Amino acid sequence: MIDAVAGLYAGTEPMPFQAVSPPIFQTSLFTFSSYEEMAGAFAGRSKRYIYSRGDNPTVEELERLIAALEGTEAARGFSSGTAAIAAAVFPFVEAGDRIVSVHNVYNDAYRLFEKILRKFGVQIDYVDGTDTEAVLAALPGAKIVYLESPASFTFTVQDIAAIGAAARRHGVISVIDNSWATPLFQKPVAHGIDLVVHAASKYLGGHSDTVAGLIAGPKDLIGRINSESYHYLGGKLSPFEAWLILRGMRTLPLRLARHMENGLELAEKLDAHPHVTKVRHPAFQPHPGNATFTGYGGLFAFDVADDVDVPAFVNALNHIRIGVSWGGPESLVVPALAALQLPREANSFHRFNVSPKTIRFSAGLEDARLLWADLEQALGKARTVSKSTEAA
Ligand SMILES: *Cc1c(COP(=O)(O)O)cnc(C)c1O
């Protein structure tokens, strides 16, 4: 697995001075030596760099790497995962068209669909992604099927091979958010998915120091994206941030192995804890869709028992920090109650398949014993607090 990244990383372009780390082409434009050279470039007669909202060599280095890792032809870099999601969807829909999306996609993907796409007359139908028959039944006539396996907060998976094959039969473009598994643990294109989007802000970057996005896919679809949403929505990736992602990816296999190990160990311990009622992790939720994973991300969620006070639990954590995002070295929690801002009635949580007692946990790179000790003491304290409140 290490070779999968290191080999591709080192092999793409010979570096100036045999440098092992690529240069950062921190430039907005590339000049021409003559009228003819400029005219030729604009007429498409010569492929060369013009302006960094289009192509930039540092960003291209990252695009080549992600395309190779995802086992596909091409890729484009974006200023955020959300910019990548928007750019992957926009070229393929117009007013009157329909998108099929699974439930519990990343919150801001959902808001993009609801707040922007609906305004332009695009209909979005949400289906239970765990119910493959329901997804397939919704496909005829749709333009896009939007997947995220596992989904946010619920960590429920989809049978992407079955959905990808059916989407091809119906002429529906399939798009998946593969940020959680990364191409090291799931290669959606090999299972028939058309476009793969990434929040490179998470595992690919891996150091909580940049926000970036990527789309990988076949040349024809990336070409459409390139000639529509990439250039004219303008959400391009900056050379320095592309470089940070490239640097982060050099240790991706090592980091992911540790995230996975920590995630599984803590999920197991939480599952056995008397005050935890549910663990939301693909390994703990059997489904045919698990077959496409060759490993697991370290991000999952768990539900605490009714008598565990969520704010008290979160406040009792000493080492584990409270924060959104994930995929960096530090372990983090996000309580659904605070972050999802769902209406308080129980049924709204039910609609989103999460509970007010759901806590998302991003397993970082720390020693698992330290993390478990922190979770265990906080669970103990949060329960004591709620008990003493009852007594008072
Ligand atoms: C964070 C995240 C995104 C969005 O990425 P940004 O870079 O924050 O825009 C998309 N999908 C998933 C699963 C995420 O966790």
Side-chain angles (χ1 to χ4, degrees):
M1 211 167 60
I2 305 230
D3 290 349
V5 177
L8 289 167
Y9 188 86
T12 45
E13 289 284 297
M15 305 272 185
F17 312 112
Q18 299 188 43
V20 294
S21 171
I24 306 172
F25 286 93
Q26 190 66 42
T27 181
S28 61
L29 79 156
F30 304 84
T31 57
F32 301 92
S33 52
S34 67
Y35 171 92
E36 289 74 18
E37 199 186 333
M38 178 184 247
F42 276 84
R45 284 193 296 273
S46 64
K47 158 86 179 97
R48 54 101 80 208
Y49 302 107
I50 298 174
Y51 183 54
S52 288
R53 178 157 48 78
D55 299 326
N56 173 282
T58 311
V59 177
E60 269 186 358
E61 187 73 21
L62 173 61
E63 291 169 342
R64 272 194 294 270
L65 178 62
I66 194 71
L69 284 172
E70 288 288 2
T72 185
E73 293 169 344
R76 286 260 67 167
F78 293 87
S79 55
S80 69
T82 305
I85 293 166
V89 170
F90 275 32
F92 308 108
V93 287
E94 56 184 60
D97 284 345
R98 189 166 65 86
I99 293 177
V100 174
S101 168
V102 295
H103 282 300
N104 302 100
V105 291
Y106 177 67
N107 242 305
D108 287 345
Y110 173 74
R111 292 190 188 111
L112 168 78
F113 297 160
E114 293 299 308
K115 291 186 184 229
I116 314 273
L117 286 175
R118 270 202 207 281
K119 202 162 71 178
F120 291 102
V122 175
Q123 184 191 331
I124 299 99
D125 288 343
Y126 297 93
V127 290
D128 176 358
T130 64
D131 184 348
T132 306
E133 290 308 311
V135 181
L136 300 200
L139 292 180
K143 284 284 157 61
I144 289 175
V145 57
Y146 187 84
L147 310 170
E148 186 183 316
S149 187
S152 288
F153 270 87
T154 60
F155 297 92
T156 49
V157 304
Q158 296 112 55
D159 187 343
I160 66 167
I163 297 169
R168 292 241 161 117
R169 282 198 303 277
H170 291 288
V172 180
I173 294 170
S174 53
V175 180
I176 189 169
D177 183 331
N178 199 33
S179 309
W180 184 89
T182 85
L184 295 195
F185 287 163
Q186 179 170 257
K187 292 188 193 296
V189 173
H191 300 287
I193 299 296
D194 295 317
L195 289 169
V196 181
V197 297
H198 281 285
S201 330
K202 313 294 168 52
Y203 283 143
L204 299 182
H207 291 74
S208 312
D209 54 10
T210 187
V211 174
L214 294 160
I215 309 177
K219 270 189 187 146
D220 60 335
L221 296 182
I222 296 295
R224 271 290 292 283
I225 289 164
N226 190 47
S227 64
E228 296 186 26
S229 49
Y230 176 79
H231 275 89
Y232 310 118
L233 293 181
K236 61 90 187 161
L237 179 57
S238 78
F240 179 60
E241 291 187 287
W243 184 88
L244 283 173
I245 305 295
L246 280 165
R247 186 186 59 163
M249 285 177 73
R250 295 171 78 155
T251 54
L252 182 63
L254 290 171
R255 289 187 288 105
L256 268 186
R258 179 65 169 253
H259 287 300
M260 168 170 152
E261 189 184 305
N262 279 356
L264 281 170
E265 183 169 337
L266 294 166
E268 241 162 62
K269 288 199 152 83
L270 285 163
D271 194 45
H273 194 282
H275 306 136
V276 171
T277 56
K278 183 175 181 152
V279 165
R280 300 165 181 266
H281 184 299
F284 290 72
Q285 305 180 121
H287 189 277
N290 281 340
T292 49
F293 297 124
T294 53
Y296 294 116
L299 182 76
F300 66 98
F302 58 95
D303 294 8
V304 291
D306 282 344
D307 61 353
V308 175
D309 184 71
V310 167
F313 167 72
V314 168
N315 289 334
L317 292 167
N318 294 320
H319 174 83
I320 297 163
R321 301 210 230 174
I322 310 162
V324 297
S325 197
W326 52 273
E330 59 288 323
S331 291
L332 298 164
V333 289
V334 175
L337 190 58
L340 291 188
Q341 293 294 313
L342 301 175
R344 290 279 162 140
E345 323 86 76
N347 66 349
S348 79
F349 276 90
H350 180 71
R351 193 151 50 83
F352 287 87
N353 302 317
V354 295
S355 143
K357 296 287 179 180
T358 303
I359 291 158
R360 192 185 76 178
F361 180 71
S362 172
L365 300 176
E366 306 94 326
D367 187 323
R369 283 166 302 188
L370 169 82
L371 297 174
W372 177 242
D374 200 19
L375 288 169
E376 202 177 24
Q377 64 81 24
L379 279 168
K381 277 192 192 141
R383 197 149 175 277
T384 317
V385 170
S386 79
K387 260 195 196 154
S388 62
T389 318
E390 276 163 26

